[in-house]
Amino acid sequence: MRYLNRLLSVVAAAALAACSEQNPVAPQTDISFNSSAGHGEHAVSVMTRNLYIGTDVDAVMAVLGTEAQGPALRAALLTLQHTDFATRIRAIAHEIATDRPDVVGIQEAYDLYVDQALLELLGLSGGTIQIDFLAQLQAALAREHVRYVVAAKNTTTATSLMDGAVSIIDHDVLLV
């Protein structure tokens, strides 16, 4: 029962962090939640981070099936290719390792796949893009010598475009 109370406290803290009146894109590392279930108080620290895909997916989704689809997809993929995801994920892992929150809420933990043939068709260079954001974050955390496990994972979007040449699966994840 103590574990269940602590887990409920953690989930409540994560929910409070996600619904905060504060700036939702600013770092929120100072949030804590105290729970007393007859066994004393337990402070739980919570951090939330958006891994961000690195490009405007909504702009592409808005024009699917229209003549603007190709140019919008090309622009999004070009931006994605110039986004330094590896540096961003290392910085987030370092921040988590430094602050050591009990719970980390992760948004936009994408599984992303873009076939090389599509890139070539759109006049873009480079090989197939295949990134598992959560796996990359966990690997970066391991390099920081900290380990978090997935307590919950919710798939918010799963879509495939152009006969599977692009696959985007978006997850929200709770790490403890």
Side-chain angles (χ1 to χ4, degrees):
M1 187 58 129
R2 188 173 354 156
Y3 174 77
L4 179 59
N5 286 334
R6 182 154 170 89
L7 181 60
L8 290 174
S9 296
V10 167
V11 170
L16 287 172
C19 297
S20 172
E21 292 285 330
Q22 297 173 349
N23 181 346
V25 296
Q28 303 292 318
T29 58
D30 58 348
I31 296 171
S32 65
F33 183 78
N34 293 321
S35 169
S36 180
H39 301 286
E41 290 193 13
H42 301 282
V44 177
S45 60
V46 176
M47 177 186 288
T48 63
R49 290 295 173 266
N50 185 319
L51 299 185
Y52 180 58
I53 195 166
T55 192
D56 188 0
V57 175
D58 292 336
V60 176
M61 301 302 268
V63 295
L64 286 178
T66 71
E67 290 181 19
Q69 174 179 304
L73 184 57
R74 184 183 192 289
L77 290 172
L78 185 60
T79 301
L80 179 65
Q81 286 181 323
H82 289 95
T83 299
D84 191 352
F85 176 76
T87 297
R88 283 191 295 117
I89 209 72
R90 281 192 308 269
I92 291 170
H94 181 74
E95 182 181 22
I96 293 169
T98 300
D99 292 345
R100 302 279 177 126
D102 297 308
V103 180
V104 182
I106 301 293
Q107 301 83 39
E108 294 189 32
Y110 283 94
D111 292 327
L112 175 65
Y113 171 82
V114 181
D115 188 81
Q116 180 177 348
L118 176 62
L119 293 171
E120 291 170 359
L121 179 68
L122 294 171
L124 300 172
S125 60
T128 296
I129 299 170
Q130 189 163 8
I131 307 171
D132 179 335
F133 285 35
L134 180 58
Q136 294 294 319
L137 176 61
Q138 288 176 310
L141 286 168
R143 286 189 296 277
E144 292 280 345
H145 307 289
V146 295
R147 183 172 178 265
Y148 283 82
V149 296
V150 175
K153 185 176 181 181
N154 178 49
T155 301
T156 61
T157 304
T159 191
S160 179
L161 308 172
M162 303 184 149
D163 295 324
V166 177
S167 172
I168 300 172
I169 304 171
D170 181 9
H171 307 283
D172 291 333
V173 180
L174 194 63
L175 301 175
V176 294

